[in-house]
Amino acid sequence: MASLGDIGLAAAINLLSAFTFLIAFAILRIQPINDRVYFPKWYLKGLRTSPLHTGAFVSKFVNLDFKSYIRFLNWMPAALQMPEPELIDHAGLDSAVYLRIYLLGLKIFVPIALLAFSVMVPVNWTNDTLKRSNLVYSSIDKLSISNIPLGSNRFWTHLVMAYAFTFWTCYILKREYQIIATMRLHFLASERRRPDQFTVLVRNVPPDPDESVSELVEHFFLVNHPDHYLTHQVIYNAKKLSGLVAKKKKKQNWLDYYQLKYSRNQSQRPTKKTGFLGLCGNKVDAIDFYTEEIDKLSKEIELEREKVIKNPKSIMPAAFVSFRTRWGAAVCAQTQQSRNPTTWLTEWAPEPRDVYWNNMAIPYVSLTIRRLIVAVAFFFLTFFFMIPIAFVQSLANIEGIEKVAPFLKAFIEIPFIKSFIQGFLPGIALKIFLIFLPTILMIMSKFEGFISTSALERRSATRYYIFQFINVFLGSIITGTAFQQLDKFIHLSANEIPKTIGVSIPMKATFFITYIMVDGWAGCAGEILRLKPLIFYHLKNFLLVKTEKDREEAMDPGTIGFNTGEPQIQLYFLLGLVYAVVTPFLLPYIIIFFAFAYVVYRHQIINVYNQEYESAAAFWPDVHGRIIFALVISQLLLMGLLSTKEASNSTPLLITLPVLTIWFHRFCKGRYEPAFIRHPLQEAMMKDTLERAREPNFNLKEFLQSAYIHPVFKGGDEDSESEAMSEVGEQEPVLVQTKRQSRRNTPAPSKQSSSFSSPPHESADKHSRP
Amino acid sequence: MASLGDIGLAAAINLLSAFTFLIAFAILRIQPINDRVYFPKWYLKGLRTSPLHTGAFVSKFVNLDFKSYIRFLNWMPAALQMPEPELIDHAGLDSAVYLRIYLLGLKIFVPIALLAFSVMVPVNWTNDTLKRSNLVYSSIDKLSISNIPLGSNRFWTHLVMAYAFTFWTCYILKREYQIIATMRLHFLASERRRPDQFTVLVRNVPPDPDESVSELVEHFFLVNHPDHYLTHQVIYNAKKLSGLVAKKKKKQNWLDYYQLKYSRNQSQRPTKKTGFLGLCGNKVDAIDFYTEEIDKLSKEIELEREKVIKNPKSIMPAAFVSFRTRWGAAVCAQTQQSRNPTTWLTEWAPEPRDVYWNNMAIPYVSLTIRRLIVAVAFFFLTFFFMIPIAFVQSLANIEGIEKVAPFLKAFIEIPFIKSFIQGFLPGIALKIFLIFLPTILMIMSKFEGFISTSALERRSATRYYIFQFINVFLGSIITGTAFQQLDKFIHLSANEIPKTIGVSIPMKATFFITYIMVDGWAGCAGEILRLKPLIFYHLKNFLLVKTEKDREEAMDPGTIGFNTGEPQIQLYFLLGLVYAVVTPFLLPYIIIFFAFAYVVYRHQIINVYNQEYESAAAFWPDVHGRIIFALVISQLLLMGLLSTKEASNSTPLLITLPVLTIWFHRFCKGRYEPAFIRHPLQEAMMKDTLERAREPNFNLKEFLQSAYIHPVFKGGDEDSESEAMSEVGEQEPVLVQTKRQSRRNTPAPSKQSSSFSSPPHESADKHSRP
């Protein structure tokens, strides 16, 4: 086991590497050439244009203002200064609430750590159980529960602390749920008119031999919602069309690349081979080839588009139905329409940019079967994923490679390369799997049939959390693959399971401390450096970019990535709650993680990430539920641990804790969850009345006419998606233009931004002034 | 273990006792004096009046038509002859669907038994495992799975059979769910105008300093449902008033008793003592005393009634809100009204007679706390109920009684009485607890805050089933109190639990066969005899009855008793499914139970039980869910049993069974359950349109005005409840008067019934003609 000194060394190394990342970031971000990598959000908002057009030639690429290097940590206070309402305006409620998860971590763990260090550490420290035993122990263990003798009365301290921590966590959770529910309702209420407020998605329209889907929908809603129905929009099956458009875009990219190549070196027209991956086949003139291909595709797209619109078979049995009032939409979304509960299914339409178009037409029976298949598949993925990896690992050894590719033998036999392969290859198979895991989970969710990106991400996040809980948390404690654990647990009795896990927990504290430093601290610092987008941006910039628009596309702002980010945070909540009573020494590491990650992600959300959709914090019930889950797990494990310490007379008191926690969860669910899934009629009526009074002659039908058109029908070209986005952007309230107009850290202010920046706006100015 | 002969003897005894009951019933029911005990339903419907007024004096009390004694089993075909639609008309959909549970048992188990006897019994029989072993075994065991050698390939038969039985059960369940959902929707659609179709119950109206509850409700709904709101009815807190009315009724009964006594023996005015239980205190003239008391109470009631109506504090924060259309009510019942999801809670109003008035004003927080308390209390009741009983039993022995009441010593020491006390007293404590258990569970449900009698009964039924599952089913198999089981299970691993239970199952077959015969067969026969109501009716008749109306009140028709009856049936489903594969010999006993109970309860529903409410088969999802639960349990236990038989290679195939079954349950839940909890707008709109076309000038407001008034405000006297009932009865369609007009079995037809009976109605006549 590691001593305090070892931990200190590890901490120093990790701090150093995190610090290196930060310095690299601080230098790279103030280079004008990287401006689009580190501030893409502002470009997308149109508040900043490329700095390449102004100033001297060198200063277009390298920052020569040396003063700015001194203030290289300025981004931290700057990131913290933007007030929350402005942040919501700037990056959406989802992002603002996402940041609150980190704050929630601080709110929960700072007081818990203070209490633990002032009460529990002295209680643990002033024993000599470990000293008298023959066990090898470290200084950390002296601070932990392991140092208390069996059956000691001091365990009452831990019991009381467990109660205190539970009540504190629940109190903070309840408060936070309330605040976020209010924020959500306020956000929804203060929004301007948006198409999804008036629109309901209808699925599983039953087939009718006499009427088309469009007629059927119109008649049904005219009959059943006569005073409220306004218009509707059928949904086309444009899967093939989107495929063609995507293909055309790819070819266009190649064309751009070859044209740029030709323009730089006019002496020789670029050529390419037509065969597999451009490695074999006839040599042709690349520009002509791609121009021709694109022409062909354009015609195909045109044909397909007409076919889709004209052919009644390509209309899916689903539609977006819009109502005259928000009240009408709220009523339709919350009620059952027809006698058969599997037809005419209604739900609130997601935002236009949030719609996942491919899953619109899945019938009810198919949906339930898909759910079963995915559940079984996920079970096998979680518990048996080691089997294929072990298989790959067994293949990917020296002998395996030599067998498959004998010509590589001479190369492989070089000692350095041999040891590299032997050392890294098995790990790489696992690492590749783990990198692709979120994608696999996302594919599962897509197969399951959710109809909005936000729902897809939420479900993937749940699965990712379960995977991490079983394979990272339990896997590290029990050591063994998930399947071995499962086998073990099946053969253990219900009261043995918490004991088995609980007893190993104190011993794993140092491992998890290291894990937090590597995965949490260094991971965060790596996130802010954005190495991958940086490299890709410069590659694209060099190879493809011709116009300003191309450059815009070359930016890869990325998103928050709820489906991977949130489960990671939740793992820290779990660790913190489990170790709070057992080894409080772990808490400061978690607090540092939460604080550091908060600053980093606040910066990223303000400057980098692009908002893909706005679900108005619909994910909060999941976040709340998982923290409750972690709390219950921590209570059960403590119970197991204490029962091995001959303190089993505390069991009845410990059993009431999870009962109370679960009851608390149910209470919160009833009290706050409806705010995230239902739509109060009172609110809808209020907004309707207000709006009618304010704009009595507004033409709502026109406003809603083209809101829910599949992106491929909108622009007709490859930019349709970004257009859809910008269209939504236009409907948002005009932003105060002065945000981030101060550019002392990143000189050469863009024309547009600077022209807008006078007169400076006080409140918006605060956050970026050093 | 019992041999086939023993079982045969037990069967003979039970058949004999059942037969005795049936003969006693056949004789008693055709005595005119018992007419009100065995045909109260017809009296309540007003289709039959007392036979006491006609014919010779003797024939008023004793049936002298000896021919009718010969046809004493006629009631069986008569009970079966009434067609289902007419039954729904006569006794309500609840009763008709309740009977279908018995039919469902027959539909599931008859084919299963045929298959089991033709395939599995030969497979089991043609082994000699038991013969070769040294175990004591019976002939029944030779038919069971115990006779198959360990690790035999013959277990594949059982595996295939388990699949076949599961698929058959699921198929029948799905078909039944579909039929009953259709019946429910048809029933709701074909109903005449009823107040609850237009009415929504609003609870948790938030307090307002400026407005009364009534004004607040009116304003809220005028604003938020402007086109649909019609009127509303506030709810008074009339708990005290109902108490006073009940008290007055009691005194009135005593007054009647003394007046009758006086009228029979005019020489002496009856007296009573005013002290405790009439045992001590001053002697007073009883008639004067009670007249005075009743006068006092009448005044008090009048005062209280005025106080309740005038005092704004006695108005509860809840109201029945009625809408212009069914559409409006359906919308309001299914949507969230206000921003705060714990205020303005709306749900469909129960039928007026189904309303449980005392629970109207429980605030949200209190509700969730009550739910926690009841859950914990039920847990302790289920697992620790033996502790107080054991305590009582330890007190209730000879020494205990002698200590408490030394004066009884001489009496107790008589050998016969001593042995009686020693033999029966301990059992009586348990028996008394079991008799009161449904009442205790009902009190729990009431405390939990349900607002309709039907919901109370459904919840009590669920709890009763859980209690029976743990204490009767598991308790008989594991032998030991529930707490000992719990303790055992906690210390067993997850895969050991089904093994431990599974392995004891074949050995308990004979016990459960006996149980079915005693509890099922003899219990049913006892139910039809109605010994308790018979005795009570004649007692009341002798002591209290003066007028025809008193006699009507002396009838105790009873109800189906969903909260006790359904869990009992479910126990048989559980036994049947568990033993279908293990010991198919048990199946015929269950089939006989279902068939016999079906006939008995059909007779009782037609002739005896009074319908307290109509929930339109809202209980079916519970029934379906519990059968699925039994199915899953049977699969798990079979898995446990087979794994002890060294047939564990079948485990993967057996694990898929519960997975598929649970998936099937989820599918059915999504597909059919909404029909039982939601209200399609299409249906509502259709009925509204139809009705508007048919009766354009109907005054709905007047119709709804007094529908939801607390029963004590209706009549003002003790008959209020029956009045409320009869009022609802008036709104029902006029019944075809000829039902059961043929009285060959029960002579001396009543005047009213016979006067109505011409001309006879063909379809209605069928069921009672011999």
Side-chain angles (χ1 to χ4, degrees), chain A residues 263-297:
Chain A
S263 68
R264 280 181 194 159
N265 176 11
Q266 300 241 351
S267 61
Q268 195 193 351
R269 279 186 73 88
T271 57
K272 79 163 258 126
K273 284 175 180 170
T274 54
F276 177 71
L277 282 179
L279 290 174
C280 48
N282 300 325
K283 224 178 204 176
V284 291
D285 183 296
I287 294 176
D288 291 353
F289 174 76
Y290 279 112
T291 318
E292 207 174 289
E293 288 267 301
I294 287 168
D295 278 356
K296 226 194 294 173
L297 273 174

Side-chain angles (χ1 to χ4, degrees), chain A residues 174-298:
Chain A
K174 180 177 176 297
R175 214 173 126 250
E176 199 70 18
Y177 215 150
Q178 188 154 27
I179 290 171
I180 285 163
T182 316
M183 277 170 80
R184 177 182 161 95
L185 288 172
H186 180 77
F187 179 77
L188 293 176
S190 62
E191 267 177 334
R192 291 220 18 223
R193 188 184 289 113
R194 281 193 352 193
D196 51 302
Q197 293 167 340
F198 297 90
T199 307
V200 162
L201 171 62
V202 182
R203 291 198 289 166
N204 292 6
V205 176
D208 190 295
D210 302 324
E211 289 187 307
S212 73
V213 172
S214 180
E215 289 167 331
L216 201 59
V217 169
E218 182 155 17
H219 292 169
F220 185 85
F221 284 94
L222 272 178
V223 167
N224 292 305
H225 296 265
D227 308 331
H228 308 288
Y229 172 77
L230 182 65
T231 177
H232 74 277
Q233 182 77 47
V234 291
I235 297 169
Y236 294 103
N237 186 353
K239 223 169 179 174
K240 196 181 164 195
L241 188 58
S242 333
L244 288 174
V245 169
K247 210 167 157 192
K248 187 183 161 194
K249 190 177 172 183
K250 223 182 198 169
K251 305 262 176 196
Q252 186 70 45
N253 267 349
W254 278 110
L255 181 61
D256 290 351
Y257 165 72
Y258 284 114
Q259 275 174 342
L260 201 67
K261 201 172 171 187
Y262 182 58
S263 68
R264 280 181 194 159
N265 176 11
Q266 300 241 351
S267 61
Q268 195 193 351
R269 279 186 73 88
T271 57
K272 79 163 258 126
K273 284 175 180 170
T274 54
F276 177 71
L277 282 179
L279 290 174
C280 48
N282 300 325
K283 224 178 204 176
V284 291
D285 183 296
I287 294 176
D288 291 353
F289 174 76
Y290 279 112
T291 318
E292 207 174 289
E293 288 267 301
I294 287 168
D295 278 356
K296 226 194 294 173
L297 273 174
S298 297

Side-chain angles (χ1 to χ4, degrees), chain A residues 185-186 189 220 223-226 228 327 330-331 334-342 364-365 368-369 372 490-495 659-660 663 667 670-671 674 678-683 685, chain B residues 185-186 189 220 223-226 228 327 330-331 334-342 364-365 368-369 372 490-495 659-660 663 667 670-671 674 678-683 685:
Chain A
L185 288 172
H186 180 77
F220 185 85
V223 167
N224 292 305
H225 296 265
H228 308 288
W327 193 90
V331 159
Q334 293 179 66
T335 49
Q336 185 180 334
Q337 305 307 312
S338 87
R339 184 181 259 232
N340 182 343
T342 64
Y364 181 80
V365 176
T368 56
I369 292 172
L372 174 68
I490 281 182
H491 290 91
L492 278 179
S493 71
N495 69 338
V659 171
L660 285 177
W663 173 79
F667 169 77
R671 176 68 185 79
R678 306 194 76 180
H679 306 268
L681 294 186
Q682 196 182 15
E683 297 272 310
M685 187 54 98
Chain B
L185 288 172
H186 179 77
F220 185 87
V223 167
N224 291 304
H225 296 266
H228 308 288
W327 193 91
V331 160
Q334 293 180 67
T335 50
Q336 186 179 333
Q337 305 307 312
S338 89
R339 185 180 258 234
N340 182 343
T342 63
Y364 181 80
V365 176
T368 56
I369 293 172
L372 174 69
I490 282 180
H491 291 91
L492 277 179
S493 72
N495 70 338
V659 171
L660 286 177
W663 173 79
F667 168 77
R671 176 68 184 81
R678 307 195 75 180
H679 307 270
L681 294 185
Q682 196 182 16
E683 299 271 312
M685 188 54 98

Side-chain angles (χ1 to χ4, degrees), chain B residues 482-497:
Chain B
F483 175 66
Q484 285 163 349
Q485 290 168 41
L486 184 71
D487 194 51
K488 195 171 176 183
F489 287 149
I490 282 180
H491 291 91
L492 277 179
S493 72
N495 70 338
E496 285 295 324
I497 293 173

Side-chain angles (χ1 to χ4, degrees), chain B residues 262-326:
Chain B
Y262 183 60
S263 68
R264 281 182 195 158
N265 176 10
Q266 300 240 350
S267 61
Q268 191 192 355
R269 281 193 63 96
T271 56
K272 81 163 255 126
K273 286 175 179 170
T274 54
F276 177 71
L277 283 178
L279 291 173
C280 47
N282 300 327
K283 226 176 200 177
V284 292
D285 184 295
I287 293 176
D288 292 352
F289 174 75
Y290 280 111
T291 316
E292 208 173 289
E293 287 268 299
I294 286 167
D295 279 355
K296 227 195 293 171
L297 272 173
S298 295
K299 269 174 210 153
E300 241 179 279
I301 287 171
E302 211 43 59
L303 272 175
E304 176 69 22
R305 182 173 290 151
E306 263 169 50
K307 207 177 103 194
V308 164
I309 292 174
K310 278 184 190 150
N311 186 358
K313 274 185 188 162
S314 67
I315 294 178
M316 300 212 231
F320 288 100
V321 178
S322 297
F323 291 83
R324 272 174 220 290
T325 53
R326 290 179 183 83

